[in-house]
Amino acid sequence: MAVFLEHRHDTGKRVESGAWEFVEGVEMRPRNAATGRVIRWPEQHDEHGIEKNRNCSLRS
């Protein structure tokens, strides 16, 4: 079983409410690499995949 934790990357900017802006992702720490981290950004991957699919469909 793989356990994923919430991972946040702070942008250093604030939103209108005054809270810090961040990008959400997920993080997994492999058992065989205690200091290793695997970080994924699902929203970014989705956006890039959609853009890539659009670009490919425009080719003739």
Side-chain angles (χ1 to χ4, degrees):
M1 172 175 27
V3 177
F4 288 87
L5 306 170
E6 181 179 13
H7 182 88
R8 292 183 177 190
H9 173 74
D10 293 322
T11 64
K13 301 176 184 175
R14 291 188 182 262
V15 294
E16 288 183 27
S17 68
W20 289 104
E21 180 183 72
F22 60 88
V23 180
E24 281 188 80
V26 293
E27 177 178 335
M28 178 180 73
R29 295 188 180 206
R31 288 183 189 180
N32 61 351
T35 59
R37 301 184 330 173
V38 177
I39 301 171
R40 298 286 183 242
W41 310 99
E43 187 174 314
Q44 184 181 32
H45 290 299
D46 286 346
E47 290 171 3
H48 289 194
I50 291 169
E51 182 180 343
K52 182 178 177 182
N53 287 341
R54 285 186 187 141
N55 291 340
C56 289
S57 67
L58 296 177
R59 292 184 198 168
S60 47

